Amino acid sequence: MTSNTYTLQILAGDGIGSEIMGEAKKIIGWINSNSDITINTRDGLIGGASIDTYGNPLDDTTLEQCRNADAILLGAVGGTKWGDIEYNLRPEAGLLKLRKELELFANLRPALVFDALIDASTLKPEIVRGLDILIVRELTGGVYFGEPRGIEDLGNGQRRGINTQVYTTMEIERVARVAFDLARKRGNKVTSCEKANVMESGLLWREDVTALHEKEFKDVELEHMYADNCAMQLLRNPSQFDVIVTDNLFGDILSDAAAMLTGSLGMLPSASLGQVGSVALYEPVHGSAPDIAGLGKANPLATILSLAMCLRYSLDQGVMADKIEQAVKAVLNSGTRTADIMADNCRQVSTSDMGDAIIAELDK
Ligand code: NAD
């Protein structure tokens, strides 16, 4: 085996998962046939598909396979079929477990506006042209995991819902370090977002990020911003941002807002990274889109761009990643579109045709 041989764990998941993953596999096939890179794929189940087979959304054997892979490429999980199941056994719980077990604490979500899709944004072209933001969201801590949590019966006809926002210095530093490192390879600026004005956890976040910056990253520009202001600035003047680093809850919301600047959910990839050298997870930002599942309408580009991120960050194959991203740009420029990004004077194609168009571009 050469050092260019990798094992990629594939978890297609539910809904449109198998359709979009089919197109990513075409690209992997092309890479295997046309370069010195060999990507061996291994399929596993997650989400509803895993519930139907194993009775739980992420089986231990699948988790073990994920641990032993060089990287994981995931489609999407969820669907109404599993909507009534207990909270911690639902499809989405499989994804949360995977992130937690593999300690994937940094979620990278690029918001990139392709010139060909500039009119798909709800914002004016002059506001979003050339936009290239990277949101780094803390993924394994904060209010989604903090204890105590639950719903209490107060006994007087009232109930109380509790969640706890909690962060340690270690959790803040490791995600901030990822953001600073990435900023050095991009625009060299980090905006750190919290609510230090009203939350102690936010104050700690601000102090720890400042201390880390002082100690290790003085060459990178650092600015602090309250998360609500960041939401406003994303709509007012998004090109002021390079890398935004923020906690789990604010990151969930701000990255969705940033995503919509680009106009289409079907175009957005993501990466979830752990410690340097450990296995990472790549997936499109969108969900399982049950409304279009099986209809050949899904846009596979977010998954294909997630594969490109995987090549860049986990497999150290940046040249191939660039090649795939260039092919996506060229296909969009040629007017080839799936329904979600369709525009005047363009040619609407199916999920599978879009994958073929990328292959044809790579062949050139
Ligand atoms: P969704 O992202 O699945 O769909 C939202 C809308 O965008 C739908 O109209 C859908 O048709 C469209 N869309 C999404 N991806 C598309 C693509 N690739 N091409 C074309 N159109 C696309 O969000 P939702 O409807 O809120 O959730 C559906 C299910 O997905 C739920 O069970 C939810 O829990 C789950 N979900 C999973 C993930 C994940 O796996 N990471 C993320 C979000 C939602």
Side-chain angles (χ1 to χ4, degrees):
M1 253 190 342
T2 70
S3 58
N4 279 350
T5 301
Y6 309 96
T7 301
L8 184 63
Q9 179 67 43
I10 303 259
L11 302 171
D14 309 317
I16 59 171
S18 55
E19 296 166 64
I20 53 180
M21 199 55 82
E23 302 316 304
K25 283 184 175 174
K26 281 184 190 167
I27 310 296
I28 294 168
W30 185 91
I31 294 171
N32 288 343
S33 308
N34 293 279
S35 74
D36 61 352
I37 305 168
T38 303
I39 302 175
N40 297 311
T41 59
R42 196 164 61 195
D43 287 292
L45 301 175
I46 192 166
S50 175
I51 294 172
D52 289 349
T53 302
Y54 299 116
N56 65 65
L58 179 66
D59 194 62
D60 285 344
T61 37
T62 310
L63 180 60
E64 208 41 45
Q65 286 187 339
C66 290
R67 282 189 206 286
N68 295 328
D70 291 303
I72 306 160
L73 186 65
L74 185 141
V77 298
T80 45
K81 179 179 174 192
W82 306 280
D84 293 333
I85 300 177
E86 195 186 322
Y87 203 64
N88 61 354
L89 287 176
R90 282 194 199 163
E92 292 77 3
L95 194 48
L96 291 181
K97 182 175 169 189
L98 188 62
R99 290 171 178 163
K100 191 81 189 165
E101 288 288 327
L102 300 180
E103 286 191 70
L104 303 174
F105 60 82
N107 184 219
L108 276 50
R109 285 182 52 168
L112 188 72
V113 172
F114 290 92
D115 277 349
L117 296 184
I118 203 150
D119 291 326
S121 175
T122 48
L123 265 62
K124 293 183 188 129
E126 61 267 30
I127 304 274
V128 292
R129 181 165 287 114
L131 194 73
D132 182 2
I133 302 176
L134 180 65
I135 300 205
V136 180
R137 166 189 170 195
E138 200 290 327
L139 203 58
T140 53
V143 74
Y144 292 166
F145 295 97
E147 300 280 348
R149 63 183 296 157
I151 299 178
E152 291 175 357
D153 195 336
L154 297 178
N156 57 356
Q158 294 287 307
R159 296 191 299 159
R160 179 164 58 188
I162 305 163
N163 291 93
T164 304
Q165 167 81 333
V166 53
Y167 273 108
T168 64
T169 296
M170 180 276 289
E171 289 173 311
I172 297 167
E173 278 186 351
R174 66 182 183 179
V175 73
R177 190 170 278 118
V178 169
F180 284 125
D181 271 335
L182 289 166
R184 274 184 177 154
K185 296 176 192 147
R186 297 172 39 98
N188 213 35
K189 178 178 174 189
V190 169
T191 305
S192 172
C193 295
E194 26 57 14
K195 292 281 288 175
N197 50 343
V198 285
M199 296 169 75
E200 282 76 7
S201 56
L203 186 59
L204 181 76
W205 184 284
R206 185 172 286 220
E207 289 176 358
D208 286 347
V209 171
T210 305
L212 180 71
H213 176 252
E214 194 63 20
K215 219 168 35 186
E216 295 178 28
F217 296 99
K218 270 190 135 162
D219 55 303
V220 181
E221 185 187 344
L222 169 66
E223 99 183 313
H224 299 282
M225 194 177 274
Y226 296 137
D228 48 341
N229 185 28
C230 181
M232 208 163 71
Q233 295 298 330
L234 275 172
L235 300 181
R236 201 182 69 84
N237 177 20
S239 45
Q240 70 185 284
F241 296 110
D242 176 28
V243 175
I244 296 175
V245 63
T246 188
D247 76 11
N248 204 342
L249 174 63
F250 296 138
D252 197 357
I253 297 163
L254 293 174
S255 57
D256 269 11
M260 284 327 289
L261 300 176
T262 69
S264 174
L265 217 45
M267 292 298 305
L268 297 164
S270 80
S272 301
L273 312 181
Q275 298 295 354
V276 176
S278 61
V279 65
L281 169 70
Y282 299 85
E283 55 178 323
V285 163
H286 60 72
S288 57
D291 52 331
I292 57 166
L295 301 179
K297 287 186 176 172
N299 183 346
L301 294 180
T303 313
I304 290 170
L305 291 169
S306 300
L307 174 65
M309 285 185 91
C310 171
L311 285 157
R312 177 170 294 118
Y313 293 120
S314 280
L315 311 187
D316 210 14
Q317 297 288 350
V319 173
M320 184 56 77
D322 288 345
K323 201 171 166 63
I324 291 171
E325 287 166 355
Q326 288 308 325
V328 169
K329 264 188 207 155
V331 167
L332 292 173
N333 286 338
S334 75
T336 303
R337 306 286 161 86
T338 42
D340 57 313
I341 50 173
M342 187 55 191
D344 291 346
N345 303 321
C346 289
R347 186 171 66 95
Q348 189 171 323
V349 299
S350 67
T351 308
S352 167
D353 290 343
M354 182 56 100
D356 292 343
I358 304 293
I359 296 285
E361 188 58 41
L362 288 169
D363 274 335
K364 279 183 188 167

